[in-house]
Amino acid sequence: MSRISGVFKKSSISVWPLFGRDTLADAGQGSRIGKPRGPLETLFLKVGQSGVLLGRTAKLLFSAQCDKGESWRVAYRFANGSFWFVAIAMAFVGMIMVYQSTVQLDRAVGDTTLVGASFFKLLVRVLGPTVIGMLLACRVGAGIAAEIGAMSVTSQLDAMRMCAAEPIETLMVPRLRGGIVASMSLVVIGCASSLFAGMVTGIVWFSMSHTTYLNFSLVAPSDLIQGVVKAFSYGVAVPIVSGACGLSAHGGARGVGQATTDAVVGSSFVIVVMDSLISMISHLLVGQ
């Protein structure tokens, strides 16, 4: 506990009130000057930055005075820019999964009638939201960290504060809203692309009937709920983690590059952890 408390003493973070508009101007940034931190201190500092930024952004989510159309423009930019990336990547995922599962089932039991039903359950429950979340971490997360990081190292954030514009309200709220909308939309698009590509693979390579493949009998309402919760959670996690990395960037171009790397790695790690937690909670609640 003494080591943990030392992290907060060294980081010059005003602990109370954490989510006030007049405090924590850098949304949880630690001191930019000092001796190098160890891995444990860095981990706790990054978690604290993301947690504080999440709290402040969530507080302003519905009351922010920023341009209302900016959220839709950000959502369009995230979703439209990632459309083909996600659709093509998920199509290949569907082809690989259906091909491998059909080959293995045919060798093991000789019955491939439940390939489509099993794949669709896995796609909705885990594969679709998690893989698409990783793709968003690579494309959207890196873009957010680079954009905000460049503003941070060139003192544009300080200029915004001098003009009475709160960076969290102006920059992070639209990106959080856009990230949620884009994540939910792209999960639907990616799952549809993967399902269709898997059906084409089954029909062309294994002469599978489309009526046999399009079997949704194994998909329960809890699977759909779990997929929606994961898509929403990843839509929150990627902008928050990436924004925290961008806000703490310093040191010129090298700092922006480091912030971008941290954003992709951190977002991917958070997605894996959240996937495990949501799956375990779902298992405890519904037993599936």
Side-chain angles (χ1 to χ4, degrees):
M1 291 300 293
S2 61
R3 186 175 180 84
I4 297 174
S5 61
V7 176
F8 294 97
K9 290 179 180 178
K10 296 176 183 179
S11 61
S12 70
I13 294 177
S14 177
V15 178
W16 180 264
L18 280 177
F19 308 140
R21 292 173 58 89
D22 55 343
T23 60
L24 241 61
D26 293 323
Q29 291 185 46
S31 175
R32 297 181 176 181
I33 301 175
K35 66 177 182 179
R37 300 184 179 90
L40 186 61
E41 294 182 56
T42 302
L43 175 63
F44 278 108
L45 183 60
K46 293 294 184 182
V47 172
Q49 290 174 357
S50 300
V52 171
L53 182 59
L54 175 60
R56 295 198 63 197
T57 309
K59 181 180 178 181
L60 297 171
L61 190 61
F62 300 104
S63 60
Q65 301 300 316
C66 58
D67 183 9
K68 303 300 181 183
E70 180 64 16
S71 299
W72 292 109
R73 286 190 289 270
V74 169
Y76 176 80
R77 189 171 77 243
F78 288 170
N80 185 62
S82 306
F83 177 85
W84 291 110
F85 177 49
V86 169
I88 294 174
M90 290 303 296
F92 279 103
V93 169
M95 293 169 63
I96 294 169
M97 292 295 296
V98 170
Y99 182 86
Q100 292 294 336
S101 58
T102 304
V103 169
Q104 296 301 322
L105 283 175
D106 188 49
R107 290 176 179 175
V109 298
D111 183 12
T112 60
T113 56
L114 291 179
V115 168
S118 303
F119 172 63
F120 192 57
K121 182 181 181 69
L122 178 65
L123 183 67
V124 171
R125 190 181 174 95
V126 178
L127 197 62
T130 303
V131 173
I132 293 172
M134 293 287 191
L135 297 176
L136 287 177
C138 295
R139 192 189 184 281
V140 174
I144 292 175
E147 186 177 7
I148 298 180
M151 298 178 68
S152 178
V153 300
T154 55
S155 303
Q156 293 183 50
L157 299 182
D158 296 329
M160 292 177 63
R161 297 186 187 101
M162 292 180 65
C163 296
E166 172 61 40
I168 307 303
E169 185 176 29
T170 306
L171 300 176
M172 285 308 304
V173 171
R175 282 161 178 76
L176 179 57
R177 293 172 179 171
I180 294 172
V181 174
S183 177
M184 303 286 282
S185 304
L186 290 172
V187 165
V188 175
I189 294 169
C191 288
S193 174
S194 186
L195 184 65
F196 178 76
M199 182 178 67
V200 172
T201 303
I203 293 174
V204 173
W205 269 273
F206 302 101
S207 301
M208 186 183 300
S209 171
H210 70 279
T211 56
T212 301
Y213 177 82
L214 295 174
N215 181 5
F216 306 138
S217 59
L218 297 182
V219 180
S222 60
D223 299 325
L224 294 174
I225 294 173
Q226 186 176 154
V228 171
V229 171
K230 288 182 179 180
F232 179 86
S233 301
Y234 303 157
V236 172
V238 171
I240 291 298
V241 175
S242 303
C245 294
L247 287 168
S248 60
H250 61 283
R254 183 177 180 178
V256 175
Q258 185 62 48
T260 304
T261 302
D262 293 343
V264 174
V265 174
S267 299
S268 302
F269 179 75
V270 170
I271 286 172
V272 172
V273 172
M274 293 180 69
D275 180 42
S276 301
L277 291 176
I278 294 173
S279 298
M280 288 188 292
I281 293 173
S282 175
H283 178 74
L284 294 175
L285 293 178
V286 300
Q288 295 184 2

